[in-house]
Amino acid sequence: MVDVERFRTLLQEERRRKLELLPALRRDITAVNAARQDSNVDDEHDPEGSTIAFELSQASALMDQSRQGLAHIEAALARIDAGTYGICSVCGEAIAEGRLEARPWTPYCIRHSAGPAGPTPRGRA
């Protein structure tokens, strides 16, 4: 049986880290946008323009990843509260503890790691 409280603690710590990271990423995006607006940069022809565009793209991607990660963590915490944590949402079998160690927010066993569209459980079409 999975030590749910240990995973709750891990997930809460990860949620705290992501919540701390999001404002920093917002500040980075705001700063890059301000630098871009305050200069007469032609992204296509100015070497500095491509750097600013890259920084903005990178910060935006990190922001999106952090938001998605936070949503996965919140969903995992909700599964803990509902008593369904550690149970694959596709086949209903237990998720291996090693998989939960690697991805504590996952709702899928290794066989269904691709999600609901992954391979169908045996005996089901």
Side-chain angles (χ1 to χ4, degrees), residues 28-41 52 55:
D28 288 350
I29 290 170
T30 300
V32 170
N33 274 330
R36 190 176 201 180
Q37 291 174 356
D38 291 343
S39 67
N40 190 15
V41 175
I52 291 171
E55 288 176 8

Side-chain angles (χ1 to χ4, degrees), residues 20-91:
E20 289 173 359
L21 178 63
L22 286 171
L25 289 170
R26 277 190 212 102
R27 284 191 301 274
D28 288 350
I29 290 170
T30 300
V32 170
N33 274 330
R36 190 176 201 180
Q37 291 174 356
D38 291 343
S39 67
N40 190 15
V41 175
D42 177 2
D43 285 359
E44 189 173 329
H45 299 101
D46 186 337
E48 281 299 309
S50 62
T51 301
I52 291 171
F54 174 77
E55 288 176 8
L56 183 58
S57 175
Q58 187 175 31
S60 294
L62 287 171
M63 175 77 90
D64 290 344
Q65 288 174 349
S66 292
R67 284 182 180 148
Q68 288 175 0
L70 188 57
H72 291 302
I73 290 166
E74 295 292 348
L77 289 168
R79 286 192 303 279
I80 288 174
D81 291 341
T84 59
Y85 182 79
I87 299 169
C88 179
S89 65
V90 174
C91 67

